[in-house]
Amino acid sequence: MKFADLHLHTQFSDGTFTPEELAGHGASLGFATLALTDHDTVEGCARMAAACAAAGIEFIVGAELTAEYEHTEVHILGYFLDTRNQTLLTEISRFQAVRQQRIHEMVALLNKLNVPLKAESVFALANCKSPGRPHVARALVKAGLVASLDEAFERFLKKNRPAWVPKAKVSALEGIDLIHQAGGLAVMAHPGLNRTDEIIPALADAGLDGIECFHTKHSAALSARYLEIADRFHLLVTGGSDCHGFSKGKPLIGGIKLPYEHIEKLKAARENRKSKIENRK
Ligand code: AMP
Ligand code: ZN
Ligand code: FE
Ligand code: FE
């Protein structure tokens, strides 16, 4: 049985593995296919592609966009993206600028609370273009200002805590279009985590291609529910561990094994979309 993990993060966003380490784990766990879905970036994909090729693993280029639809936060996964697509790269660099600005704002709030963290130390630790709250938390631990990542989130960084800054998000419809114009398929990430059930019909209408039915935080009952919803709205089925390396305890890769038949359906849908675009030219 061939299987895949289509939701993975590296050091190019808030994961702790390099692409090579991640591909190594994938190989030892017997994965046929992996997709890299770092937040708001495709930068790690070239290295991940090379590492997967060396390990005999099929690789799918991906990214995870933080979007919203009528005030509901929704994460949109893009697959089979053209990493040279100019519009995609321009938009992604805008999202990254927003993330970097938000780091400055969170550090300013911490400083007001007499927590002497420097923005430079967060950027140095993150060492990537898509920094986020996990990097602020790690920098706080590293500077000895909190004892643990949990303490950093509980005291300062969780939603509505004193150093939390809401993130400006792309509209879900724009996110879907952005992925499509870059040759990709758009998939709703972990619907069970963001409670985005109500917006599935609207996004399906707007061209959403699939939903992530299998995810580390979906119970068997939730996965079954999303398989049924995918069937009802003629959406593709995906799944992934959302592994962030060691940043959230033990690595999650290996916990989700998406049967390969879903990869075949994704590829067919991608080809179908491609030929539709070709015909329009
Ligand atoms: P951001 O994209 O900057 O808002 O950060 C979101 C990341 O922070 C996600 O990877 C979350 O899993 C992680 N995160 C959110 N809340 C917590 C928490 N309480 N403890 C640890 N990580 C968290
Ligand atoms: Zn993340
Ligand atoms: Fe997510
Ligand atoms: Fe993720």
Side-chain angles (χ1 to χ4, degrees), residues 7-9 14 37 39 64 75 77 189-190 215 242 244 248:
H7 194 152
L8 297 163
H9 297 271
D14 55 2
T37 54
H39 299 281
E64 180 172 18
H75 294 185
L77 298 159
H190 44 64
H215 182 272
D242 212 352
H244 282 72
K248 294 172 190 170

Side-chain angles (χ1 to χ4, degrees), residues 5 8 17 216 241-245 248-256:
D5 186 331
L8 297 163
F17 288 145
T216 303
S241 64
D242 212 352
C243 177
H244 282 72
K248 294 172 190 170
K250 85 174 179 50
L252 298 171
I253 184 169
I256 298 288

Side-chain angles (χ1 to χ4, degrees), residues 89-108:
L89 295 176
T90 304
E91 287 305 294
I92 274 181
S93 59
R94 249 178 10 99
F95 305 155
Q96 292 169 351
V98 166
R99 283 179 168 275
Q100 291 162 22
Q101 177 56 32
R102 180 169 173 248
I103 300 291
H104 285 292
E105 290 168 22
M106 288 191 284
V107 168

Side-chain angles (χ1 to χ4, degrees), residues 6 31 57 76 86 92 101 112 150 187 198 209:
L6 300 185
F31 279 98
I57 296 171
I76 313 265
Q86 254 332 303
I92 274 181
Q101 177 56 32
K112 264 199 208 152
D150 271 347
V187 172
E198 299 74 25
D209 299 287

Side-chain angles (χ1 to χ4, degrees), residues 4-71:
D5 186 331
L6 300 185
H7 194 152
L8 297 163
H9 297 271
T10 67
Q11 291 174 1
F12 283 88
S13 65
D14 55 2
T16 67
F17 288 145
T18 62
E20 293 76 21
E21 287 166 345
L22 188 58
H25 283 281
S28 52
L29 289 160
F31 279 98
T33 308
L34 298 176
L36 183 59
T37 54
D38 270 315
H39 299 281
D40 297 331
T41 187
V42 289
E43 250 197 312
C45 288
R47 270 174 59 185
M48 187 69 181
C52 283
I57 296 171
E58 176 183 34
F59 175 65
I60 297 173
V61 168
E64 180 172 18
L65 307 181
T66 308
E68 69 182 335
Y69 183 81
E70 292 178 349
H71 305 292

